[in-house]
């Protein structure tokens, strides 16, 4: 159920990994091609920053300002405690709103292997971009994580920063700032 928190996910231990991606270990994330699916706003019509980042899976560049709403963009890092709490909730959101809301992760200021390992351990498969140099975080005028951007169908953004989102708060912010009601 959407409003029942998982204590096990909140108590996850830290993952530490350094190095380059392991070719033997596939990416846990979905390809980013789904981000280009039809919506009510044309590419480039959002007020999102004009930053391009590689898709974690496949490496294709995704221009953030071309993303269409309704959408939720969660900036996270495997090293960030509050991010580790809310990232599994973002995956639950993606699952609960499939076809009605785009949910995208941006692994920020992280090591690829650490991000992939954390995601795989927690069943996170939503499309994810990789931003080692925190370009998007900087372009949003923010300095620390977690950050979640809500984008409505007209391309207007709302940026949330602060403590880790819980299911109730996340559901309320999604409804208020994207127009999508979370069910399931």
């Amino acid at each position: 159920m959407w409003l029942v928190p998982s204590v096990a996910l909140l108590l996850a231990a830290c993952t530490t990994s350094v190095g380059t991606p392991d070719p033997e270990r596939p990416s846990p994330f979905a390809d980013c091609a789904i981000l280009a699916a039809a919506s009510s706003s044309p590419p480039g019509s959002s007020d999102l920053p004009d930053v391009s980042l590689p898709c974690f899976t496949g490496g294709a560049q995704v221009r953030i300002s071309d993303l269409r709403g309704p959408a939720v963009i969660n900036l996270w890092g495997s090293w960030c405690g509050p991010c580790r709490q809310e990232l599994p909730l973002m995956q639950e959101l993606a699952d609960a709103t499939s076809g009605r809301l785009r949910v995208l992760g941006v692994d920020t200021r992280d090591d690829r292997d650490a991000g992939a390992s954390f995601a795989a351990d927690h069943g996170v498969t939503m499309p994810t971009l990789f931003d080692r140099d925190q370009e998007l975080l900087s372009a949003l005028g923010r300095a620390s994580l977690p950050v979640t951007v809500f984008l409505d169908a007209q391309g207007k953004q709302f940026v949330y920063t602060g403590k880790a989102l819980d299911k109730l708060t996340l559901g309320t912010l999604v409804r208020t700032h994207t127009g999508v009601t979370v069910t399931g």
Side-chain angles (χ1 to χ4, degrees):
M1 182 176 177
W2 175 246
L3 297 176
V4 178
S6 173
V7 174
L9 293 176
L10 298 176
L11 299 175
C14 292
T15 301
T16 57
S17 176
V18 294
T20 59
D22 181 353
E24 300 295 316
R25 181 182 189 151
S27 171
F29 304 109
D31 188 276
C32 298
I34 193 167
L35 300 175
S39 77
S40 60
S41 60
S45 66
S46 74
D47 60 359
L48 292 171
D50 191 17
V51 172
S52 292
L53 298 172
C55 183
F56 204 105
T57 300
Q61 290 289 312
V62 174
R63 188 174 170 191
I64 301 299
S65 61
D66 284 349
L67 294 176
R68 304 177 215 169
V72 173
I73 306 166
N74 181 250
L75 285 69
W76 63 277
S78 64
W79 50 268
C80 164
C83 302
R84 294 173 68 85
Q85 291 178 353
E86 72 182 19
L87 187 63
L89 296 178
M90 293 297 166
Q91 181 62 51
E92 289 182 39
L93 175 66
D95 295 341
T97 60
S98 181
R100 299 182 295 130
L101 180 73
R102 286 175 186 76
V103 181
L104 169 68
V106 180
D107 188 10
T108 304
R109 197 172 53 219
D110 207 352
D111 176 81
R112 285 182 65 90
D113 286 344
S117 178
F118 179 78
D121 290 350
H122 293 86
V124 177
T125 61
M126 65 188 174
T128 297
L129 305 178
F130 185 65
D131 189 7
R132 177 185 292 273
D133 298 326
Q134 67 190 26
E135 292 177 56
L136 181 56
L137 184 67
S138 296
L140 290 168
R142 304 302 195 262
S144 61
L145 297 178
V147 171
T148 303
V149 180
F150 298 86
L151 186 67
D152 69 16
Q154 290 72 43
K156 183 178 179 196
Q157 70 170 315
F158 171 79
V159 180
Y160 172 87
T161 59
K163 66 180 183 173
L165 291 167
D166 58 33
K167 287 184 181 185
L168 181 60
T169 304
L170 179 58
T172 299
L173 289 170
V174 167
R175 185 178 58 254
T176 301
H177 298 289
T178 71
V180 175
T181 300
V182 180
T183 58

